[in-house]
Tab-separated table of all heavy atoms in Angstrom:
chain	number	residue	atom	x	y	z
H	63	VAL	N	-9.784	25.675	5.835
H	63	VAL	CA	-10.124	25.326	7.218
H	63	VAL	C	-11.476	25.948	7.553
H	63	VAL	O	-11.712	27.126	7.289
H	63	VAL	CB	-9.036	25.867	8.172
H	63	VAL	CG1	-9.409	25.641	9.633
H	63	VAL	CG2	-7.696	25.211	7.848
H	64	ASN	N	-12.361	25.151	8.128
H	64	ASN	CA	-13.678	25.624	8.563
H	64	ASN	C	-13.850	25.375	10.051
H	64	ASN	O	-13.233	24.448	10.597
H	64	ASN	CB	-14.781	24.872	7.806
H	64	ASN	CG	-14.862	25.300	6.366
H	64	ASN	OD1	-15.319	26.393	6.061
H	64	ASN	ND2	-14.391	24.455	5.465
H	65	PRO	N	-14.729	26.151	10.713
H	65	PRO	CA	-14.944	25.900	12.141
H	65	PRO	C	-15.339	24.451	12.445
H	65	PRO	O	-14.986	23.923	13.497
H	65	PRO	CB	-16.063	26.878	12.508
H	65	PRO	CG	-15.874	28.021	11.556
H	65	PRO	CD	-15.429	27.376	10.262
H	66	ILE	N	-16.034	23.794	11.497
H	66	ILE	CA	-16.418	22.400	11.789
H	66	ILE	C	-15.184	21.519	11.995
H	66	ILE	O	-15.232	20.538	12.755
H	66	ILE	CB	-17.347	21.809	10.693
H	66	ILE	CG1	-17.927	20.484	11.192
H	66	ILE	CG2	-16.630	21.653	9.380
H	66	ILE	CD1	-19.036	19.917	10.373
H	68	TRP	N	-12.340	22.197	13.608
H	68	TRP	CA	-11.879	22.138	15.007
H	68	TRP	C	-12.971	21.653	15.955
H	68	TRP	O	-12.677	21.086	17.006
H	68	TRP	CB	-11.229	23.457	15.462
H	68	TRP	CG	-11.984	24.728	15.263
H	68	TRP	CD1	-11.780	25.640	14.252
H	68	TRP	CD2	-13.017	25.274	16.084
H	68	TRP	NE1	-12.626	26.707	14.396
H	68	TRP	CE2	-13.407	26.512	15.511
H	68	TRP	CE3	-13.671	24.836	17.232
H	68	TRP	CZ2	-14.408	27.312	16.050
H	68	TRP	CZ3	-14.675	25.641	17.775
H	68	TRP	CH2	-15.028	26.851	17.182
H	69	LYS	N	-14.239	21.807	15.540
H	69	LYS	CA	-15.318	21.256	16.382
H	69	LYS	C	-15.249	19.718	16.369
H	69	LYS	O	-15.427	19.063	17.398
H	69	LYS	CB	-16.686	21.733	15.883
H	69	LYS	CG	-16.915	23.231	16.098
H	69	LYS	CD	-18.256	23.695	15.536
H	69	LYS	CE	-18.389	25.204	15.585
H	69	LYS	NZ	-19.655	25.704	15.023
H	114	ARG	N	-16.713	19.269	-2.041
H	114	ARG	CA	-17.117	19.397	-0.636
H	114	ARG	C	-17.421	17.981	-0.171
H	114	ARG	O	-18.556	17.514	-0.232
H	114	ARG	CB	-18.333	20.327	-0.576
H	114	ARG	CG	-19.281	20.175	0.577
H	114	ARG	CD	-18.731	20.738	1.866
H	114	ARG	NE	-19.859	20.893	2.790
H	114	ARG	CZ	-20.391	19.899	3.489
H	114	ARG	NH1	-19.903	18.678	3.408
H	114	ARG	NH2	-21.405	20.142	4.287
H	151	VAL	N	-17.654	24.922	1.185
H	151	VAL	CA	-18.480	25.021	2.404
H	151	VAL	C	-19.104	26.416	2.525
H	151	VAL	O	-20.317	26.555	2.720
H	151	VAL	CB	-17.650	24.681	3.672
H	151	VAL	CG1	-18.452	24.997	4.929
H	151	VAL	CG2	-17.236	23.213	3.658
H	152	GLY	N	-18.300	27.450	2.398
H	152	GLY	CA	-18.798	28.813	2.611
H	152	GLY	C	-19.862	29.227	1.609
H	152	GLY	O	-20.952	29.678	1.983
H	155	THR	N	-23.085	26.932	1.693
H	155	THR	CA	-23.927	27.210	2.869
H	155	THR	C	-24.676	28.525	2.676
H	155	THR	O	-25.884	28.610	2.948
H	155	THR	CB	-23.056	27.272	4.144
H	155	THR	OG1	-22.321	26.055	4.250
H	155	THR	CG2	-23.902	27.454	5.383
H	175	HIS	N	-25.290	38.460	9.592
H	175	HIS	CA	-24.379	38.552	10.743
H	175	HIS	C	-23.061	37.866	10.376
H	175	HIS	O	-23.033	36.961	9.539
H	175	HIS	CB	-24.987	37.852	11.956
H	175	HIS	CG	-26.124	38.601	12.556
H	175	HIS	ND1	-26.001	39.880	13.049
H	175	HIS	CD2	-27.433	38.263	12.740
H	175	HIS	CE1	-27.158	40.292	13.524
H	175	HIS	NE2	-28.050	39.329	13.336
H	176	GLY	N	-21.985	38.306	11.031
H	176	GLY	CA	-20.687	37.672	10.777
H	176	GLY	C	-20.287	37.788	9.322
H	176	GLY	O	-19.710	36.860	8.748
H	177	ALA	N	-20.568	38.961	8.714
H	177	ALA	CA	-20.405	39.098	7.258
H	177	ALA	C	-18.953	39.072	6.793
H	177	ALA	O	-18.691	38.973	5.601
H	177	ALA	CB	-21.092	40.385	6.778
H	178	ALA	N	-18.002	39.144	7.725
H	178	ALA	CA	-16.584	39.092	7.333
H	178	ALA	C	-16.050	37.658	7.306
H	178	ALA	O	-14.946	37.417	6.825
H	178	ALA	CB	-15.751	39.924	8.303
H	179	GLY	N	-16.812	36.717	7.819
H	179	GLY	CA	-16.300	35.349	8.017
H	179	GLY	C	-16.370	34.481	6.767
H	179	GLY	O	-16.721	34.941	5.673
H	180	GLY	N	-16.054	33.219	6.940
H	180	GLY	CA	-15.994	32.285	5.820
H	180	GLY	C	-17.328	32.144	5.102
H	180	GLY	O	-17.387	32.169	3.873
H	181	VAL	N	-18.416	32.024	5.846
H	181	VAL	CA	-19.749	31.946	5.235
H	181	VAL	C	-20.239	33.356	4.900
H	181	VAL	O	-20.725	33.629	3.801
H	181	VAL	CB	-20.758	31.245	6.177
H	181	VAL	CG1	-22.162	31.279	5.573
H	181	VAL	CG2	-20.324	29.807	6.448
H	182	GLY	N	-20.084	34.275	5.864
H	182	GLY	CA	-20.623	35.628	5.703
H	182	GLY	C	-20.055	36.371	4.503
H	182	GLY	O	-20.783	37.095	3.820
H	199	THR	N	-23.058	42.681	9.734
H	199	THR	CA	-22.415	43.011	11.008
H	199	THR	C	-21.005	42.422	11.062
H	199	THR	O	-20.741	41.343	10.527
H	199	THR	CB	-23.212	42.489	12.220
H	199	THR	OG1	-23.301	41.050	12.146
H	199	THR	CG2	-24.603	43.071	12.281
H	200	ALA	N	-20.116	43.183	11.705
H	200	ALA	CA	-18.743	42.731	11.953
H	200	ALA	C	-18.152	43.660	13.000
H	200	ALA	O	-18.759	44.675	13.365
H	200	ALA	CB	-17.907	42.780	10.674
H	201	SER	N	-16.943	43.315	13.464
H	201	SER	CA	-16.269	44.156	14.452
H	201	SER	C	-15.695	45.412	13.784
H	201	SER	O	-15.703	45.527	12.552
H	201	SER	CB	-15.136	43.359	15.104
H	201	SER	OG	-14.210	42.994	14.096
H	202	THR	N	-15.175	46.309	14.605
H	202	THR	CA	-14.655	47.584	14.104
H	202	THR	C	-13.613	47.365	13.001
H	202	THR	O	-13.670	48.003	11.945
H	202	THR	CB	-14.005	48.369	15.270
H	202	THR	OG1	-14.960	48.455	16.324
H	202	THR	CG2	-13.576	49.754	14.840
H	203	ARG	N	-12.690	46.425	13.220
H	203	ARG	CA	-11.585	46.287	12.263
H	203	ARG	C	-12.054	45.785	10.896
H	203	ARG	O	-11.332	45.900	9.910
H	203	ARG	CB	-10.490	45.381	12.841
H	203	ARG	CG	-10.801	43.955	12.827
H	203	ARG	CD	-9.779	43.003	13.378
H	203	ARG	NE	-10.351	41.668	13.227
H	203	ARG	CZ	-10.046	40.826	12.265
H	203	ARG	NH1	-9.120	41.111	11.394
H	203	ARG	NH2	-10.659	39.652	12.177
H	204	ASN	N	-13.250	45.243	10.806
H	204	ASN	CA	-13.734	44.710	9.525
H	204	ASN	C	-14.731	45.613	8.799
H	204	ASN	O	-15.315	45.192	7.791
H	204	ASN	CB	-14.362	43.331	9.750
H	204	ASN	CG	-13.314	42.249	9.854
H	204	ASN	OD1	-12.280	42.302	9.182
H	204	ASN	ND2	-13.549	41.272	10.723
H	219	TYR	N	-20.668	45.900	15.373
H	219	TYR	CA	-21.377	45.367	16.554
H	219	TYR	C	-20.707	45.753	17.863
H	219	TYR	O	-21.279	45.600	18.930
H	219	TYR	CB	-21.561	43.845	16.449
H	219	TYR	CG	-20.313	43.002	16.563
H	219	TYR	CD1	-19.688	42.775	17.786
H	219	TYR	CD2	-19.760	42.403	15.430
H	219	TYR	CE1	-18.537	42.006	17.880
H	219	TYR	CE2	-18.608	41.629	15.517
H	219	TYR	CZ	-18.002	41.444	16.745
H	219	TYR	OH	-16.868	40.676	16.832
H	237	PRO	N	-25.009	33.169	11.441
H	237	PRO	CA	-23.931	32.215	11.677
H	237	PRO	C	-23.308	32.371	13.068
H	237	PRO	O	-22.221	31.872	13.310
H	237	PRO	CB	-22.885	32.573	10.600
H	237	PRO	CG	-23.236	33.939	10.108
H	237	PRO	CD	-24.452	34.427	10.842
H	238	ILE	N	-24.010	33.048	13.985
H	238	ILE	CA	-23.443	33.378	15.299
H	238	ILE	C	-24.219	32.695	16.438
H	238	ILE	O	-23.628	32.133	17.352
H	238	ILE	CB	-23.452	34.920	15.536
H	238	ILE	CG1	-22.788	35.670	14.352
H	238	ILE	CG2	-22.780	35.277	16.869
H	238	ILE	CD1	-21.301	35.452	14.198
H	242	THR	N	-27.015	37.068	19.695
H	242	THR	CA	-27.179	37.679	18.358
H	242	THR	C	-28.470	37.172	17.721
H	242	THR	O	-29.257	37.945	17.169
H	242	THR	CB	-25.956	37.358	17.466
H	242	THR	OG1	-24.802	37.924	18.078
H	242	THR	CG2	-26.121	37.905	16.065
H	258	SER	N	-30.771	30.168	10.542
H	258	SER	CA	-29.546	29.967	11.316
H	258	SER	C	-28.781	28.774	10.769
H	258	SER	O	-29.372	27.774	10.362
H	258	SER	CB	-29.843	29.734	12.792
H	258	SER	OG	-28.603	29.588	13.487
H	259	ILE	N	-27.452	28.897	10.789
H	259	ILE	CA	-26.620	27.748	10.403
H	259	ILE	C	-25.881	27.198	11.625
H	259	ILE	O	-25.039	26.323	11.495
H	259	ILE	CB	-25.632	28.113	9.273
H	259	ILE	CG1	-24.683	29.249	9.678
H	259	ILE	CG2	-26.373	28.473	8.004
H	259	ILE	CD1	-23.507	29.431	8.714
H	260	VAL	N	-26.212	27.742	12.816
H	260	VAL	CA	-25.517	27.255	14.020
H	260	VAL	C	-26.432	26.650	15.079
H	260	VAL	O	-26.021	25.735	15.787
H	260	VAL	CB	-24.643	28.356	14.678
H	260	VAL	CG1	-23.348	28.532	13.908
H	260	VAL	CG2	-25.369	29.663	14.825
H	277	PHE	N	-33.374	26.173	10.524
H	277	PHE	CA	-31.977	25.816	10.751
H	277	PHE	C	-31.569	24.940	9.586
H	277	PHE	O	-32.330	24.054	9.190
H	277	PHE	CB	-31.811	25.031	12.064
H	277	PHE	CG	-30.456	24.377	12.173
H	277	PHE	CD1	-29.349	25.134	12.503
H	277	PHE	CD2	-30.291	23.024	11.902
H	277	PHE	CE1	-28.084	24.549	12.570
H	277	PHE	CE2	-29.032	22.440	11.970
H	277	PHE	CZ	-27.930	23.207	12.314
H	278	ILE	N	-30.413	25.205	9.015
H	278	ILE	CA	-29.967	24.300	7.949
H	278	ILE	C	-28.573	23.754	8.211
H	278	ILE	O	-27.726	24.419	8.795
H	278	ILE	CB	-29.996	24.954	6.538
H	278	ILE	CG1	-29.010	26.126	6.442
H	278	ILE	CG2	-31.393	25.359	6.135
H	278	ILE	CD1	-28.534	26.356	5.018
H	279	SER	N	-28.396	22.534	7.782
H	279	SER	CA	-27.081	21.913	7.708
H	279	SER	C	-26.867	21.717	6.215
H	279	SER	O	-27.499	20.871	5.585
H	279	SER	CB	-27.126	20.583	8.453
H	279	SER	OG	-25.902	19.955	8.330
H	280	ALA	N	-26.043	22.591	5.633
H	280	ALA	CA	-26.018	22.701	4.168
H	280	ALA	C	-25.376	21.493	3.501
H	280	ALA	O	-24.273	21.097	3.860
H	280	ALA	CB	-25.281	23.967	3.769
H	281	GLN	N	-26.062	20.937	2.528
H	281	GLN	CA	-25.524	19.837	1.732
H	281	GLN	C	-25.020	20.396	0.411
H	281	GLN	O	-25.653	21.267	-0.178
H	281	GLN	CB	-26.613	18.794	1.456
H	281	GLN	CG	-27.278	18.240	2.710
H	281	GLN	CD	-26.280	17.606	3.672
H	281	GLN	OE1	-25.442	16.817	3.276
H	281	GLN	NE2	-26.364	17.973	4.951
H	319	SER	N	-8.336	29.745	13.507
H	319	SER	CA	-9.776	29.594	13.250
H	319	SER	C	-10.586	29.592	14.545
H	319	SER	O	-11.687	30.148	14.615
H	319	SER	CB	-10.030	28.307	12.468
H	319	SER	OG	-11.412	28.104	12.279
H	322	GLN	N	-12.377	32.548	16.174
H	322	GLN	CA	-13.692	32.918	15.631
H	322	GLN	C	-13.777	34.376	15.193
H	322	GLN	O	-14.827	35.009	15.312
H	322	GLN	CB	-14.803	32.576	16.628
H	322	GLN	CG	-14.847	31.086	16.906
H	322	GLN	CD	-15.985	30.666	17.794
H	322	GLN	OE1	-17.146	30.837	17.444
H	322	GLN	NE2	-15.660	30.120	18.947
H	323	HIS	N	-12.641	34.898	14.727
H	323	HIS	CA	-12.646	36.259	14.171
H	323	HIS	C	-11.964	36.286	12.818
H	323	HIS	O	-11.278	37.234	12.470
H	323	HIS	CB	-11.991	37.239	15.154
H	323	HIS	CG	-12.859	37.482	16.349
H	323	HIS	ND1	-14.047	38.199	16.282
H	323	HIS	CD2	-12.762	37.060	17.617
H	323	HIS	CE1	-14.624	38.223	17.464
H	323	HIS	NE2	-13.865	37.525	18.300
H	324	ALA	N	-12.181	35.213	12.050
H	324	ALA	CA	-11.542	35.121	10.736
H	324	ALA	C	-12.105	36.184	9.794
H	324	ALA	O	-13.282	36.522	9.862
H	324	ALA	CB	-11.797	33.741	10.151
H	325	ARG	N	-11.219	36.699	8.930
H	325	ARG	CA	-11.677	37.526	7.806
H	325	ARG	C	-11.462	36.669	6.568
H	325	ARG	O	-10.326	36.403	6.200
H	325	ARG	CB	-10.860	38.808	7.730
H	325	ARG	CG	-11.262	39.690	6.565
H	325	ARG	CD	-10.345	40.869	6.387
H	325	ARG	NE	-10.429	41.809	7.486
H	325	ARG	CZ	-9.627	42.880	7.601
H	325	ARG	NH1	-8.707	43.112	6.699
H	325	ARG	NH2	-9.747	43.697	8.628
H	326	GLY	N	-12.538	36.227	5.928
H	326	GLY	CA	-12.379	35.278	4.826
H	326	GLY	C	-11.845	33.954	5.350
H	326	GLY	O	-12.180	33.526	6.459
H	327	LYS	N	-10.968	33.323	4.565
H	327	LYS	CA	-10.595	31.944	4.898
H	327	LYS	C	-9.102	31.716	5.120
H	327	LYS	O	-8.260	32.406	4.562
H	327	LYS	CB	-11.010	31.018	3.740
H	327	LYS	CG	-12.429	31.124	3.313
H	327	LYS	CD	-13.383	30.298	4.113
H	327	LYS	CE	-13.026	28.851	4.163
H	327	LYS	NZ	-14.149	28.040	4.651
B	435	LIG	N1	-24.933	24.563	9.256
B	435	LIG	C1	-24.033	24.569	8.299
B	435	LIG	O1	-24.199	23.936	7.258
B	435	LIG	C2	-22.758	25.354	8.489
B	435	LIG	C3	-21.887	25.517	7.414
B	435	LIG	C4	-20.751	26.314	7.585
B	435	LIG	C5	-20.502	26.909	8.823
B	435	LIG	N2	-21.352	26.679	9.853
B	435	LIG	C6	-21.100	27.311	11.167
B	435	LIG	O2	-21.299	28.716	11.015
B	435	LIG	C7	-20.425	29.421	11.888
B	435	LIG	C8	-19.663	30.469	11.100
B	435	LIG	O3	-18.816	29.824	10.166
B	435	LIG	P1	-17.715	30.665	9.379
B	435	LIG	O4	-16.975	29.709	8.533
B	435	LIG	O5	-18.338	31.851	8.734
B	435	LIG	O6	-16.789	31.159	10.618
B	435	LIG	P2	-15.523	32.105	10.619
B	435	LIG	O7	-14.915	32.137	9.262
B	435	LIG	O8	-14.701	31.703	11.771
B	435	LIG	O9	-16.114	33.572	10.865
B	435	LIG	C9	-16.669	33.955	12.045
B	435	LIG	C10	-17.022	35.441	11.892
B	435	LIG	O10	-17.907	35.804	12.942
B	435	LIG	C11	-17.707	37.162	13.198
B	435	LIG	N3	-18.234	37.471	14.531
B	435	LIG	C12	-17.827	37.006	15.746
B	435	LIG	N4	-18.656	37.468	16.712
B	435	LIG	C13	-19.604	38.226	16.088
B	435	LIG	C14	-20.753	38.961	16.532
B	435	LIG	N5	-21.070	39.023	17.809
B	435	LIG	N6	-21.509	39.598	15.605
B	435	LIG	C15	-21.199	39.544	14.287
B	435	LIG	N7	-20.122	38.880	13.806
B	435	LIG	C16	-19.338	38.228	14.691
B	435	LIG	C17	-16.203	37.384	13.050
B	435	LIG	O11	-15.987	38.715	12.604
B	435	LIG	P3	-15.265	39.809	13.560
B	435	LIG	O12	-13.834	39.361	13.664
B	435	LIG	O13	-15.429	41.095	12.812
B	435	LIG	O14	-15.971	39.718	14.880
B	435	LIG	C18	-15.820	36.364	11.967
B	435	LIG	O15	-15.645	36.982	10.716
B	435	LIG	C19	-19.547	28.367	12.559
B	435	LIG	O16	-20.055	28.076	13.841
B	435	LIG	C20	-19.670	27.165	11.641
B	435	LIG	O17	-19.444	25.928	12.300
B	435	LIG	C21	-22.467	25.930	9.726
Side-chain angles (χ1 to χ4, degrees):
V63 175
N64 288 287
I66 191 169
W68 52 259
K69 291 177 188 179
R114 154 75 164 80
V151 171
T155 305
H175 288 300
V181 175
T199 61
S201 61
T202 307
R203 76 180 180 100
N204 280 325
Y219 69 76
I238 308 292
T242 298
S258 182
I259 60 168
V260 282
F277 167 77
I278 64 153
S279 177
Q281 304 303 312
S319 177
Q322 298 185 62
H323 289 290
R325 179 187 293 174
K327 307 276 305 195

